[in-house]
Amino acid sequence: SILFLGETGTGKEVASRYVHDLSRPGRPFVAVNCTAIPDTLAESQLFGHTKGSFTGATPHAGFFRAAGNGTLLLDEIGDLSLSLQAKLLRVLEERLVFPVGSVVGQPLEARLLFSTNRNLLDAVRAGTFRADLYSRIAEVVVELPPLCERREDLFLLLQRLLQRRRCGSL
């Protein structure tokens, strides 16, 4: 797994998509902003749930299974609660995803990439991020410097932005 570190706006998701495009072209790329998922829904959103697992529940695949045999980017991984970190660690160790309400695990086939703007080593020392999870997600660490230190990239980023705008992606 690869952990991308850098300030907001440094291109962590762009770098993740580039890694995906080089190694798994044509397969799904799913980017999940962990900050945007409320704690009460996070397990269901990430791992899915079965029919009847809670009142009115219909089957939901979750982001892990939606990524299929492609790539799942967990953006802002440093914002996950400690309890969800433990569940994520279990998925990484077993390579099985257990939807809420199921005792049957689904094989995890997706490549996992992670990113954050937080200093996770400081979070480990402070006890807000699990050391064992950090060691799993940081097999390769890529630090992206701020854009003010990469002025040569500004033209490429502007070109890409204009390209997306012409295609109606913005």
Side-chain angles (χ1 to χ4, degrees), residues 24-99:
R24 296 187 176 202
R27 296 182 190 178
F29 178 85
V30 176
V32 179
N33 181 349
C34 294
T35 304
I37 304 174
D39 257 0
T40 54
L41 299 176
E43 188 174 358
S44 177
Q45 289 293 302
L46 292 173
F47 309 132
H49 58 258
T50 61
K51 180 180 180 179
S53 57
F54 52 86
T55 305
T58 58
H60 172 66
F63 291 120
F64 274 82
R65 292 189 305 165
N69 64 354
T71 301
L72 175 65
L73 167 65
L74 293 179
D75 188 21
E76 299 309 340
I77 188 76
D79 291 341
L80 289 181
S81 69
L82 284 170
S83 68
L84 201 55
Q85 289 175 35
K87 292 170 185 169
L88 176 58
L89 179 63
R90 183 81 176 219
V91 168
L92 297 177
E93 289 174 344
E94 297 180 4
R95 301 293 296 173
L96 289 172
V97 176
F98 287 87

Side-chain angles (χ1 to χ4, degrees), residues 11 13-21 29 147 150 152-170:
E13 185 172 337
V14 172
S16 299
R17 193 174 292 273
Y18 183 73
V19 167
H20 166 76
D21 289 344
F29 178 85
L147 284 175
R150 302 172 15 221
E152 66 278 3
D153 290 351
L154 289 176
F155 177 73
L156 294 172
L157 291 170
L158 182 59
Q159 190 176 31
R160 174 74 178 181
L161 181 64
L162 291 173
Q163 215 173 28
R164 287 176 58 194
R165 196 163 204 200
R166 264 188 253 125
C167 295
S169 307
L170 286 178

Side-chain angles (χ1 to χ4, degrees), residues 140-151:
V140 175
V141 177
V142 177
E143 291 190 49
L144 296 170
L147 284 175
C148 64
E149 296 176 17
R150 302 172 15 221
R151 293 185 194 275

Side-chain angles (χ1 to χ4, degrees), residues 101-164:
S102 177
V103 294
V104 179
Q106 305 287 324
L108 174 60
E109 298 175 13
R111 160 186 278 150
L112 298 175
L113 303 176
F114 307 91
S115 67
T116 187
N117 61 10
R118 294 179 184 241
N119 184 325
L120 291 185
L121 290 175
D122 284 349
V124 166
R125 285 188 281 278
T128 59
F129 199 85
R130 294 178 60 110
D132 48 1
L133 179 58
Y134 179 81
S135 67
R136 286 273 180 186
I137 69 171
E139 291 172 350
V140 175
V141 177
V142 177
E143 291 190 49
L144 296 170
L147 284 175
C148 64
E149 296 176 17
R150 302 172 15 221
R151 293 185 194 275
E152 66 278 3
D153 290 351
L154 289 176
F155 177 73
L156 294 172
L157 291 170
L158 182 59
Q159 190 176 31
R160 174 74 178 181
L161 181 64
L162 291 173
Q163 215 173 28
R164 287 176 58 194

